[in-house]
Amino acid sequence: YFRARGGDANKKSAAASLNDERTFSRELIALAADAQRLFERALALWDRVRAAEPRAGMDKPAVLELAAVTAAAAGASVTAMLHMRSAVAVVDEDDDPVGAGLPYGRLGGYAYDAGESRWSLAATQDGVRLVPAEPPSAARARVVGGLARSLILTVSVDEGAGFAREAIAVASAVGARDVEADAVATLA
């Protein structure tokens, strides 16, 4: 391949490009780890700071979710799962079912990454239970797509495929192309 594309010069260029990508990836992981530490510091101080929410510009569940996202990006799957479990514990399911359902969906993904397949399936099922089917929404498509992934990875490809097709239909209907693409990838 390299000879057909220009010999050693292209081989060296491809190697340099791959090295640049690896360096960039390492830097992104390091930045995520730094961000994770900052969110964990904010969480450690949260209850000691008067009026923490207005000072932070977000509520505690949002900080917990960001701590989970950065932990996952840094490769700390168990930490991501634990932060997301804390986030779902403080959201009022009755007051905000969609706001509670979406974190359950994310918890399912983090739990699977942490090797907790039972938690993964249960969390994604809770997400689907909480986010109403009507009216169709991107949130509904996202949690149904998460359940599809959990089922395919842990229980049954056929059952999961049915939920993936449902997620595709809902996402397509509401114009949520990113969610639709995720669901299509789940079927692949």
Side-chain angles (χ1 to χ4, degrees), residues 25-150:
S25 295
R26 281 193 298 274
E27 289 172 1
L28 283 178
I29 291 168
L31 287 171
D34 288 344
Q36 176 195 355
R37 282 189 288 278
L38 292 174
F39 284 117
E40 290 191 7
R41 176 97 171 117
L43 288 168
L45 296 171
W46 191 269
D47 293 328
R48 291 189 264 164
V49 174
R50 187 184 340 202
E53 187 173 319
R55 287 176 184 222
M58 62 187 74
D59 60 11
K60 188 172 184 178
V63 176
L64 285 162
E65 286 188 48
L66 289 170
V69 168
T70 56
S77 302
V78 172
T79 302
M81 178 188 70
L82 294 174
H83 282 312
M84 195 55 75
R85 280 165 101 179
S86 296
V88 300
V90 296
V91 176
D92 186 345
E93 294 178 6
D94 295 326
D95 185 45
D96 187 7
V98 174
L102 285 169
Y104 269 109
R106 286 189 285 279
L107 172 58
Y110 296 146
Y112 183 82
D113 291 344
E116 298 288 341
S117 58
R118 281 195 345 244
W119 272 99
S120 173
L121 185 57
T124 55
Q125 287 170 329
D126 283 340
V128 169
R129 173 183 58 79
L130 288 165
V131 178
E134 294 297 328
S137 66
R140 176 66 181 191
R142 188 172 303 282
V143 294
V144 171
L147 177 58
R149 267 186 304 286
S150 287

Side-chain angles (χ1 to χ4, degrees), residues 147-166:
L147 177 58
R149 267 186 304 286
S150 287
L151 286 167
I152 286 171
L153 293 170
T154 62
V155 177
S156 163
V157 171
D158 292 337
E159 189 176 351
F163 282 100
R165 285 190 286 277
E166 178 185 341

